[in-house]
Amino acid sequence: MKKSLFTLFLFLLLAVNATGQTKHTFAITDGNFVLDGKPVQIHSGEMHYARIPKPYWRHRLKMMKAMGLNAVATYVFWNYHETAPGVWDFKTGNRDIAEYIKTAQEEGLYVILRPGPYVCAEWEFGGYPWFLQKVPGMVIRGNNPQYLAATKSYFTALYGQVKKLLVTNGGPIIMVQGENEFGSYVAQRKDIPLAEHKKYSAAVFQQLKDVGFNVPFFTSDGSWLFEGGALPGALPTANGEDDVAKLKEVVNKYNGGKGPYMVAEFYPGWLDHWVEEFPKVATENVVKQTQKYLDAGVSFNYYMVHGGTNFGFTSGANYDGNHDIQPDLTTYDYDAPISEAGWGTEKYNALRNILKSPKTPAVPAKIPVITIPNIQLTKAVSLEYLKSKVKAVTADSPLTFEDLNQGHGYVWYSKKFKQPISGKLELKGLRDYAIVYVNGVKVAELNRYYKKYDCMIDVPFNATLDIIVENMGRINYGADIINSTKGIISPVIINGQTITGDWNMYSLPMDVVPNLTDAKNMVKVGSPTVYQGTFNLSTTGDTFLDMRDWGKGIIFINGINIGRYWSVGPQQTLYVPGCWLKEGANEIVIFEQKNDKIQTSVGTVETPILESLQPEKGEEK
């Protein structure tokens, strides 16, 4: 009997030690956030698992805890997990969201989960899987059965990953957001009746409950947008609201005359686009506003406390009256308190000074930074080599990426002309960036940012027209999100004539690192080229590739797509996490689209260059 009791005691002890946590309770009652029966103020920071290499998650969470925060908020990116229709990935790369949440708990942080299904976040398509656009009858973010069936499937898959991590089951997830900034969408889509919008948001909210989420819910919108975004049964929070009196007034109006009061997105920095100035927010302004919230008992979530990086093809895009697309940078540094590479900034130190308590841990050591001697590029292979490995799809007119069942990367459109034609080439349906060639000679760059959709062209007898098109990221915010197909989405016109018949399309998704094993060096100026090199390291550490002498393209390090570079800036370096490097041999592969000069090497620097704007490098001279 004693032996059995001892075994049971040992089992229970091990079970407690395995989680290292005591079970807590969390509720919204009597106008307060209540943790373990006591009112609590939430001091949170937004930080996205998908934008940080998994080996660095703990370091970044420790940085948050050392800043004096008690919670971390994260979006969940639907398209990061449903990689193909019905195919789910919650394990590879940075996708193990359950592990991220467990690590936060181990570091003493509560978790605020923001599952969308729409998230915005300067993320490709606002988090939606690109292939939703191929579902007949589906209208995203709308009250239709095809869309709601897809969201239900997503919520069900997500719940299966995080169920045990809800505070009600002993985990750290204390709140879940219903939809995201839906009031903004209601204001943008006045063509849809408010009652219809409300049916949709209520249906999504109900799905979250039906699949099993049973912690307090909240919504987040600008304070003037609550009418469209607020949901019965969810706490309304006001994004970007610095006026405490206004915050309390609007929350009271939609929450039964009481709080708690929270700013779910408090911006210590701001988002960044290619070809535009890198915005900065002054430290003193962020400190002053934080102190105002502290004094008023207002809870808050810094968006972002640490931005990280839009690795691969994950960056989204915006638009405005002057630009049909504003693609987001690869860096998501955001001028946040914790920099892209995880460094504590002046802003971090200033905020830590007012947020820390006697129990706040010390700031963790900075991850080592290295520079790598110039990396020699020993292979230079024309993109034609990769095209030759792809079977063409032939159609009467150009097909979109979606028609070709391709989400990201590039499509090479090609047409042979038996008769000469010259005049204005019009690509009004370009999405988003194209280089045009006649018989292999570059004749123009077309670009949706600059609204440059046409050029003069001369196609001689028996010549080939090639148009290599890049998807620069789907719209992540605004009414135009519903129009997010990519490639060439309308007829090609030359000299007023629609060009039809025998268009060949070659898919180049670049979803894996190009294989150049059997390729021979073949490069010429102006022709898109894939470069390859190897470099040896005796010590690993973070570094930054210096791309100031390059044009436009993407880079793979040891098979991982670390993102897009573009000479226009303001970003001129790409962050290379040391955890993706290794002692001994490493490989770099660079796809350079413009190739205005033949490259032989690439260098690194110790600090990022994020504020060097060169807009003229995006326009043809």
Side-chain angles (χ1 to χ4, degrees), residues 315-386:
S315 59
N318 294 299
Y319 61 94
D320 65 14
N322 297 318
H323 307 96
D324 292 339
I325 193 170
Q326 296 168 291
D328 298 310
L329 298 183
T330 298
T331 183
Y332 202 57
D333 179 89
Y334 216 86
D335 191 31
I338 304 168
S339 78
E340 178 181 17
W343 307 343
T345 63
E346 172 199 21
K347 198 174 288 180
Y348 177 91
N349 294 328
L351 291 171
R352 184 175 189 268
N353 284 338
I354 62 171
L355 291 170
K356 68 181 180 181
S357 72
K359 294 182 179 180
T360 300
V363 179
K366 181 178 173 181
I367 289 169
V369 177
I370 63 171
T371 54
I372 303 169
N374 265 14
I375 300 165
Q376 298 305 304
L377 302 170
T378 52
K379 268 198 172 178
V381 178
S382 170
L383 187 65
E384 184 78 43
Y385 170 79
L386 297 183

Side-chain angles (χ1 to χ4, degrees), residues 378-400:
T378 52
K379 268 198 172 178
V381 178
S382 170
L383 187 65
E384 184 78 43
Y385 170 79
L386 297 183
K387 171 180 170 264
S388 71
K389 304 291 185 183
V390 177
K391 183 179 180 181
V393 174
T394 303
D396 195 49
S397 298
L399 301 176
T400 67

Side-chain angles (χ1 to χ4, degrees), residues 349-583:
N349 294 328
L351 291 171
R352 184 175 189 268
N353 284 338
I354 62 171
L355 291 170
K356 68 181 180 181
S357 72
K359 294 182 179 180
T360 300
V363 179
K366 181 178 173 181
I367 289 169
V369 177
I370 63 171
T371 54
I372 303 169
N374 265 14
I375 300 165
Q376 298 305 304
L377 302 170
T378 52
K379 268 198 172 178
V381 178
S382 170
L383 187 65
E384 184 78 43
Y385 170 79
L386 297 183
K387 171 180 170 264
S388 71
K389 304 291 185 183
V390 177
K391 183 179 180 181
V393 174
T394 303
D396 195 49
S397 298
L399 301 176
T400 67
F401 276 51
E402 290 74 16
D403 291 334
L404 295 166
N405 203 35
Q406 179 179 337
H408 312 100
Y410 310 82
V411 169
W412 186 318
Y413 296 85
S414 186
K415 177 169 172 55
K416 185 75 174 280
F417 285 78
K418 294 177 181 176
Q419 298 297 328
I421 188 168
S422 61
K424 182 188 287 186
L425 166 69
E426 297 178 72
L427 275 186
K428 293 179 180 176
L430 171 63
R431 305 290 186 271
D432 300 303
Y433 175 93
I435 305 182
V436 182
Y437 303 85
V438 175
N439 281 344
V441 177
K442 176 178 163 182
V443 296
E445 294 174 26
L446 303 181
N447 188 321
R448 196 175 169 202
Y449 177 85
Y450 288 109
K451 293 189 176 181
K452 183 171 176 54
Y453 295 112
D454 58 63
C455 64
M456 298 307 293
I457 195 168
D458 183 7
V459 183
F461 165 74
N462 204 33
T464 300
L465 170 67
D466 294 305
I467 307 171
I468 301 173
V469 176
E470 175 192 9
N471 165 10
M472 290 196 68
R474 291 179 178 82
I475 299 298
N476 58 250
Y477 179 81
D480 249 12
I481 194 171
I482 63 171
N483 302 312
S484 289
T485 49
K486 293 295 182 177
I488 298 177
I489 71 168
S490 70
V492 175
I493 296 170
I494 301 178
N495 197 31
Q497 298 182 48
T498 298
I499 306 302
T500 59
D502 295 325
W503 278 96
N504 290 320
M505 275 73 62
Y506 301 84
S507 290
L508 298 164
M510 298 283 187
D511 50 348
V512 294
V513 62
N515 184 350
L516 304 180
T517 304
D518 298 325
K520 292 182 170 56
N521 280 352
M522 182 176 60
V523 59
K524 67 177 181 178
V525 171
S527 176
T529 300
V530 183
Y531 292 91
Q532 183 186 53
T534 57
F535 55 99
N536 286 287
L537 296 177
S538 56
T539 305
T540 61
D542 291 352
T543 193
F544 302 88
L545 286 168
D546 184 352
M547 304 310 295
R548 283 175 289 183
D549 202 33
W550 292 69
K552 193 175 197 303
I554 58 172
I555 300 180
F556 295 85
I557 296 288
N558 291 331
I560 300 171
N561 185 341
I562 63 168
R564 179 183 286 116
Y565 64 89
W566 191 9
S567 56
V568 295
Q571 176 178 4
Q572 300 288 352
T573 54
L574 281 181
Y575 172 53
V576 181
C579 58
W580 290 347
L581 298 172
K582 55 191 177 183
E583 293 182 6

Side-chain angles (χ1 to χ4, degrees), residues 214-408:
N214 60 356
V215 298
F217 290 93
F218 70 101
T219 60
S220 62
D221 286 286
S223 59
W224 62 98
L225 297 166
F226 278 19
E227 181 183 6
L231 286 165
L235 174 72
T237 68
N239 290 352
E241 183 53 72
D242 58 3
D243 185 333
V244 171
K246 178 75 175 294
L247 170 69
K248 292 184 175 181
E249 176 189 348
V250 70
V251 171
N252 287 347
K253 180 179 177 181
Y254 288 88
N255 197 51
K258 61 181 185 297
Y261 308 104
M262 182 170 182
V263 175
E265 291 189 7
F266 167 20
Y267 306 111
W270 194 240
L271 59 94
D272 317 292
H273 299 133
W274 292 106
V275 212
E276 297 175 11
E277 293 283 354
F278 186 93
K280 307 281 286 231
V281 177
T283 294
E284 55 266 33
N285 293 349
V286 182
V287 171
K288 182 179 178 181
Q289 189 61 41
T290 300
Q291 191 62 57
K292 193 188 295 187
Y293 291 149
L294 293 173
D295 294 344
V298 170
S299 293
F300 55 83
N301 173 52
Y302 292 113
Y303 188 102
M304 304 287 297
V305 72
H306 169 56
T309 310
N310 294 315
F311 296 114
F313 296 121
T314 60
S315 59
N318 294 299
Y319 61 94
D320 65 14
N322 297 318
H323 307 96
D324 292 339
I325 193 170
Q326 296 168 291
D328 298 310
L329 298 183
T330 298
T331 183
Y332 202 57
D333 179 89
Y334 216 86
D335 191 31
I338 304 168
S339 78
E340 178 181 17
W343 307 343
T345 63
E346 172 199 21
K347 198 174 288 180
Y348 177 91
N349 294 328
L351 291 171
R352 184 175 189 268
N353 284 338
I354 62 171
L355 291 170
K356 68 181 180 181
S357 72
K359 294 182 179 180
T360 300
V363 179
K366 181 178 173 181
I367 289 169
V369 177
I370 63 171
T371 54
I372 303 169
N374 265 14
I375 300 165
Q376 298 305 304
L377 302 170
T378 52
K379 268 198 172 178
V381 178
S382 170
L383 187 65
E384 184 78 43
Y385 170 79
L386 297 183
K387 171 180 170 264
S388 71
K389 304 291 185 183
V390 177
K391 183 179 180 181
V393 174
T394 303
D396 195 49
S397 298
L399 301 176
T400 67
F401 276 51
E402 290 74 16
D403 291 334
L404 295 166
N405 203 35
Q406 179 179 337
H408 312 100

Side-chain angles (χ1 to χ4, degrees), residues 582-621:
K582 55 191 177 183
E583 293 182 6
N586 294 264
E587 181 190 67
I588 183 170
V589 173
I590 304 173
F591 170 46
E592 165 59 46
Q593 296 161 243
K594 298 173 70 168
N595 207 43
D596 290 334
K597 61 180 286 189
I598 294 173
Q599 303 284 352
T600 58
S601 66
V602 63
T604 64
V605 290
E606 288 188 342
T607 55
I609 302 168
L610 302 180
E611 298 177 54
S612 178
L613 193 61
Q614 309 284 339
E616 69 282 356
K617 291 188 176 180
E619 294 187 291
E620 294 214 277
K621 297 176 178 60

Side-chain angles (χ1 to χ4, degrees), residues 19-273:
T19 63
Q21 303 294 331
T22 306
K23 188 170 181 178
H24 295 280
T25 61
F26 182 84
I28 298 176
T29 51
D30 299 325
N32 292 299
F33 295 118
V34 179
L35 178 67
D36 296 335
K38 297 177 181 177
V40 65
Q41 192 175 358
I42 296 171
H43 302 159
S44 175
E46 186 95 9
M47 192 167 76
H48 302 145
Y49 59 99
R51 286 175 157 139
I52 309 163
K54 184 177 179 180
Y56 286 174
W57 285 349
R58 190 176 298 276
H59 175 266
R60 306 300 198 258
L61 291 162
K62 283 181 179 291
M63 287 290 293
M64 288 184 63
K65 186 69 175 178
M67 188 172 140
L69 301 179
N70 56 20
V72 56
T74 184
Y75 280 126
V76 183
F77 303 104
W78 178 359
N79 58 9
Y80 201 55
H81 298 290
E82 191 175 9
T83 55
V87 178
W88 298 92
D89 184 355
F90 287 97
K91 293 300 176 188
T92 65
N94 307 332
R95 291 176 172 85
D96 194 345
I97 187 171
E99 186 64 28
Y100 181 74
I101 294 168
K102 289 174 190 171
T103 306
Q105 184 176 27
E106 290 165 4
E107 295 303 326
L109 294 163
Y110 292 98
V111 175
I112 298 169
L113 202 65
R114 309 178 74 190
Y118 162 79
V119 298
C120 184
E122 291 69 63
W123 187 266
E124 152 75 16
F125 205 14
Y128 287 122
W130 66 268
F131 47 78
L132 293 185
Q133 298 172 106
K134 292 173 62 70
V135 178
M138 180 179 288
V139 180
I140 61 169
R141 228 176 177 192
N143 186 36
N144 64 94
Q146 296 93 329
Y147 175 71
L148 291 174
T151 58
K152 183 69 174 289
S153 174
Y154 160 54
F155 289 149
T156 302
L158 174 61
Y159 182 72
Q161 298 296 314
V162 303
K163 174 183 177 180
K164 295 178 181 177
L165 299 168
L166 299 172
V167 70
T168 44
N169 294 325
I173 300 172
I174 54 173
M175 288 199 298
V176 170
Q177 183 176 331
E179 240 287 345
N180 180 55
E181 295 183 327
F182 191 63
S184 294
Y185 194 62
V186 170
Q188 293 153 0
R189 294 297 308 276
K190 292 188 171 130
D191 55 311
I192 299 172
L194 179 60
E196 191 68 11
H197 277 306
K198 288 289 191 179
K199 282 180 187 176
Y200 158 68
S201 57
V204 166
F205 189 34
Q206 189 60 48
Q207 284 183 347
L208 286 166
K209 299 177 196 174
D210 290 345
V211 301
F213 287 102
N214 60 356
V215 298
F217 290 93
F218 70 101
T219 60
S220 62
D221 286 286
S223 59
W224 62 98
L225 297 166
F226 278 19
E227 181 183 6
L231 286 165
L235 174 72
T237 68
N239 290 352
E241 183 53 72
D242 58 3
D243 185 333
V244 171
K246 178 75 175 294
L247 170 69
K248 292 184 175 181
E249 176 189 348
V250 70
V251 171
N252 287 347
K253 180 179 177 181
Y254 288 88
N255 197 51
K258 61 181 185 297
Y261 308 104
M262 182 170 182
V263 175
E265 291 189 7
F266 167 20
Y267 306 111
W270 194 240
L271 59 94
D272 317 292
H273 299 133

